[in-house]
Amino acid sequence: MQFNPGSDEKFQIVLNTYRVFGFWETLKEVILYVLSRKPADDFDRKYGVVTSGEAESSEAGITDETARSLAVAYVPSREIVIRHILHNTTKGLDLKEYSFIDLGCGKGRALIVAAQLPFKEVIGVELSPLHSEVATANIERYLSNPNCAAACRNVRVNCANALDFEFPVNDLLIYMYRPFIGPVFRGVADNLRRFQETTGRRVLIAYSCPVEELMLGQYSGFVKRTEYQVISMDYSWSLWECRREEEPALSLSRAN
Ligand SMILES: C[S@@+](CC[C@H](N)C(=O)[O-])C[C@H]1O[C@@H](n2cnc3c(N)ncnc32)[C@H](O)[C@@H]1O
């Protein structure tokens, strides 16, 4: 992924943005990019939850100083981006075999979108006790809404450091929206590789705003399956698969 794309790549990036967002949203993205603004969204009103706003890690009640210093501030994903990722990563998968896990789930936005697909379970892992409490309340509110269209009701939030989280022995679709950096990211990658080696389960990693993806590229056990760079780096994402060298790649169609 190009963090400072040259003019040659810019056209492709705008085209990608068009493919993810459609014409009007792309136009809006270009204007917002020029004005350096974030788009407004109606997620909270639509689902009757509280996920909007940003919060620095220093204001999130995190007591572990090391983890806090490597944590990225809370910013919710955009629904349109989560949907694009899910659409392009779940094709052909038997979702009832998969746990969807958002490492650094914040206030639970991605969990609410993922629960609309028939995953075996949907799990959020969040370091901040304040955010995980809000995420738990959001999930309860979402699932108890009579109009709720959840296809998976087995949704839970763990207040924990992702580094200490024990993965359930299922196939995994890991979602990360740039939650942490440095040694925490490396440690989580190590854990995932060990998990895959010992269990033989599929491990897919959808990494949104993949600021640490070079680290994954350095591991022999991680293979990049696709990437999608759009105008704002915040909404670019890449898909990685963690697998033994001799294993065949999972058949996934290219993102569109
Ligand atoms: C950019 S926000 C993403 C929120 C959510 N995934 C979404 O897409 O809406 C990153 C979140 O990761 C959390 N986080 C940071 N370090 C973590 C760690 N070591 N373990 C678990 N969560 C962590 C932060 O507290 C923050 O809520």
Side-chain angles (χ1 to χ4, degrees):
M1 194 151 303
Q2 306 273 334
F3 285 86
N4 291 303
S7 50
D8 284 356
E9 287 93 19
K10 280 183 181 155
F11 174 73
Q12 186 58 43
I13 291 171
V14 173
L15 193 66
N16 282 343
T17 310
Y18 169 72
R19 291 165 76 191
V20 176
F21 291 104
F23 177 76
W24 290 111
E25 284 291 321
T26 301
L27 188 62
K28 213 157 72 182
E29 283 292 312
V30 172
I31 294 167
L32 288 166
Y33 179 75
V34 171
L35 299 175
S36 302
R37 294 259 175 80
K38 287 219 175 264
D41 75 36
D42 65 347
F43 187 91
D44 289 0
R45 195 178 46 78
K46 184 170 162 191
Y47 293 104
V49 293
V50 183
T51 62
S52 296
E54 302 184 6
E56 289 302 328
S57 312
S58 55
E59 302 160 354
I62 301 166
T63 51
D64 179 333
E65 278 180 33
T66 310
R68 188 176 59 222
S69 69
L70 297 166
V72 178
Y74 172 72
V75 181
S77 293
R78 285 181 69 186
E79 182 176 13
I80 195 169
V81 179
I82 309 168
R83 287 201 184 284
H84 185 255
I85 291 173
L86 287 171
H87 175 74
N88 286 291
T89 53
T90 60
K91 274 182 210 159
L93 302 185
D94 182 5
L95 293 188
K96 64 180 185 310
E97 297 297 324
Y98 276 79
S99 298
F100 174 93
I101 303 178
D102 181 1
L103 295 178
C105 71
K107 299 181 183 177
R109 198 179 265 209
L111 306 179
I112 288 169
V113 181
Q116 293 166 38
L117 295 179
F119 285 106
K120 181 172 189 170
E121 58 186 357
V122 169
I123 302 173
V125 181
E126 173 55 51
L127 182 64
S128 157
L130 305 183
H131 299 336
S132 64
E133 207 175 293
V134 176
T136 303
N138 281 335
I139 298 301
E140 275 169 21
R141 218 171 293 151
Y142 169 66
L143 291 177
S144 61
N145 184 325
N147 299 323
C148 170
C152 170
R153 302 190 75 86
N154 187 4
V155 186
R156 63 182 185 277
V157 177
N158 279 262
C159 182
N161 187 336
L163 202 48
D164 303 326
F165 181 68
E166 203 168 309
F167 297 103
V169 184
N170 295 314
D171 293 335
L172 305 180
L173 175 54
I174 302 291
Y175 175 72
M176 289 189 277
Y177 175 35
R178 60 165 175 145
F180 32 71
I181 55 170
V184 175
F185 188 88
R186 183 176 293 279
V188 168
D190 275 337
N191 290 347
L192 284 168
R193 198 178 48 167
R194 214 169 303 120
F195 169 89
Q196 202 285 324
E197 275 170 12
T198 52
T199 65
R201 294 293 183 148
R202 292 282 185 196
V203 178
L204 294 170
I205 302 164
Y207 189 12
S208 192
C209 190
V211 292
E212 293 284 38
E213 72 165 10
L214 283 179
M215 257 193 233
L216 291 181
Q218 286 160 3
Y219 279 107
S220 59
F222 290 91
V223 180
K224 192 192 270 192
R225 303 297 312 280
T226 190
E227 68 174 19
Y228 232 89
Q229 182 163 16
V230 297
I231 291 172
S232 165
M233 187 61 195
D234 254 12
Y235 311 129
S236 298
W237 63 277
S238 51
L239 176 68
W240 294 78
E241 185 174 1
C242 173
R243 61 187 168 84
R244 293 191 195 105
E245 288 302 297
E246 70 274 11
E247 265 186 302
L250 187 58
S251 162
L252 280 174
S253 30
R254 193 177 153 15
N256 58 44

